[in-house]
Amino acid sequence: MAGYTFTYIDATGLQYPLNDGVDVTLKPGGMFGFGVQRPELATMRTPYTHGVTEIGTPITLDREMSLALQIQKSAYSNWVANLRTLRRNLNTYKGDGGTGKLKCVTPDGLTKYIDCRFIECLDPEMDGPVFGVATLTFWAKSPWFYDTSESLITLWTYQSTGTTLPLTLPATIMGAARTGVTLSMTLPSMLSANLMRFSIPIDNAGDVETWPTFTIVGPAKWPKINNLMTGTRLQLVGDNAPIVAAGGSIVIDMGAGTILRTTGGVTQSIVNSMDGGSAFWSLQQDVNTVYGEVWLDTGGSVRISYPQYYVCL
């Protein structure tokens, strides 16, 4: 089957092409477990009772995938050697195994990955002395596929004077109201000295929500970052913890639920600096508006990075 190519990347980063499209090809219909999976609901685990009005939220399941590869060689010894190479490279007993990645390049040129472990290579089905099918099976704790080209956006970099833009106001400050008055507006917007704010549309083009990571490079202090789409916010308060000097950073990992400050070569958790109304939040599918306020000085910046996840290839 032309068009699909697969590569397994083990836990150490070594890459093993599984099919070359010439001697080893994907069997027609030889992809199993790559489609949209059926989720479980809470009520599938708990029997219905009188008065239940909610069916529960979906529970994502683990994913098990198999590839049926056709191997054809000029001699049986070459066929066995190819199968031996596959088994040796994908040996489940090699080291502690660990989680690798299955890379797939689709016929339309998309490249997607899924974190998984190789778990099985069944004995081949022989259709002749030099032709047969080997089935490889992988197990993934998370069912989502993703791009490795993680989106990285600089939300704000400190500017001492900002950038001047023209702004037309339909006001009667000067001249007739029907024509308006052209004034100048300077960005970044400063609420007071060095306190800057941003409001940026972030497009999550994946199939499900994703949890971003914010990196705030110092000099910076007291960041507040909100997702206006969901109405959730995260704000750091306090006298010392939410402050980072030049050369240091604060990394807020929404998915892991961690906030780490690195200053002077020392990294420590400052998650206790979250105020009472704060929560770790995700980017929903579609366009989210991310609003923030942070004190910055020369060299300071705020960046967001986030992967995009897909339910199938």
Side-chain angles (χ1 to χ4, degrees):
M1 181 177 175
Y4 285 94
T5 59
F6 294 91
T7 302
Y8 182 67
I9 306 171
D10 69 14
T12 66
L14 296 177
Q15 300 191 26
Y16 305 107
L18 302 182
N19 64 312
D20 57 11
V22 182
D23 294 330
V24 184
T25 58
L26 180 66
K27 179 182 178 180
M31 295 171 56
F32 308 97
F34 287 82
V36 178
Q37 294 183 299
R38 181 186 68 182
E40 286 188 0
L41 299 176
T43 48
M44 295 172 65
R45 300 187 177 191
T46 304
Y48 283 103
T49 58
H50 178 70
V52 172
T53 58
E54 297 182 1
I55 64 171
T57 56
I59 302 168
T60 56
L61 305 178
D62 303 334
R63 182 185 289 272
E64 185 171 299
M65 309 159 294
S66 296
L67 297 172
L69 302 179
Q70 296 179 149
I71 306 174
Q72 183 170 4
K73 295 292 184 178
S74 58
Y76 179 70
S77 59
N78 295 335
W79 193 97
V80 172
N82 184 276
L83 183 60
R84 185 186 302 119
T85 298
L86 276 177
R87 288 172 169 169
R88 182 181 65 247
N89 290 344
L90 302 177
N91 182 7
T92 56
Y93 303 103
K94 183 171 55 178
D96 61 355
T99 300
K101 295 179 176 64
L102 184 64
K103 171 186 175 182
C104 176
V105 180
T106 65
D108 51 357
L110 296 177
T111 300
K112 293 183 181 178
Y113 296 76
I114 186 168
D115 294 334
C116 61
R117 297 178 67 137
F118 172 71
I119 60 174
E120 188 177 44
C121 180
L122 297 176
D123 290 332
E125 299 177 4
M126 298 298 299
D127 293 325
V130 295
F131 183 83
V133 176
T135 301
L136 311 177
T137 304
F138 305 85
W139 177 79
K141 178 62 177 176
S142 169
W144 311 125
F145 297 89
Y146 60 91
D147 293 327
T148 55
S149 54
E150 188 170 274
S151 298
L152 176 62
I153 300 173
T154 299
L155 299 176
W156 217 252
T157 300
Y158 176 77
Q159 302 173 49
S160 58
T161 57
T163 303
T164 300
L165 301 176
L167 175 66
T168 299
L169 296 175
T172 55
I173 302 173
M174 295 168 54
R178 60 179 176 269
T179 59
V181 178
T182 299
L183 304 174
S184 63
M185 181 175 70
T186 299
L187 297 176
S189 175
M190 298 194 181
L191 303 180
S192 58
N194 294 57
L195 178 57
M196 312 206 178
R197 62 183 177 184
F198 53 83
S199 183
I200 307 291
I202 302 294
D203 185 12
N204 173 19
D207 296 329
V208 295
E209 65 181 10
T210 184
W211 297 80
T213 297
F214 290 89
T215 302
I216 303 167
V217 176
K221 57 184 177 181
W222 303 325
K224 177 173 69 175
I225 304 172
N226 303 352
N227 186 344
L228 300 185
M229 181 180 187
T230 59
T232 50
R233 69 180 180 88
L234 189 150
Q235 182 174 3
L236 301 183
V237 295
D239 295 332
N240 298 312
I243 299 175
V244 62
S249 66
I250 296 174
V251 178
I252 303 172
D253 188 330
M254 296 289 188
T258 59
I259 305 175
L260 300 178
R261 183 186 70 168
T262 300
T263 182
V266 178
T267 299
Q268 64 180 135
S269 171
I270 57 170
V271 71
N272 291 334
S273 297
M274 294 171 60
D275 75 350
S278 292
F280 294 102
W281 50 260
S282 62
L283 294 172
Q284 301 300 300
Q285 186 187 15
D286 212 340
V287 178
N288 300 246
T289 299
V290 175
Y291 171 84
E293 297 176 7
V294 61
W295 288 75
L296 292 178
D297 209 331
T298 304
S301 64
V302 181
R303 290 187 176 185
I304 180 177
S305 60
Y306 59 96
Q308 298 182 105
Y309 297 103
Y310 304 90
V311 297
C312 62
L313 290 179

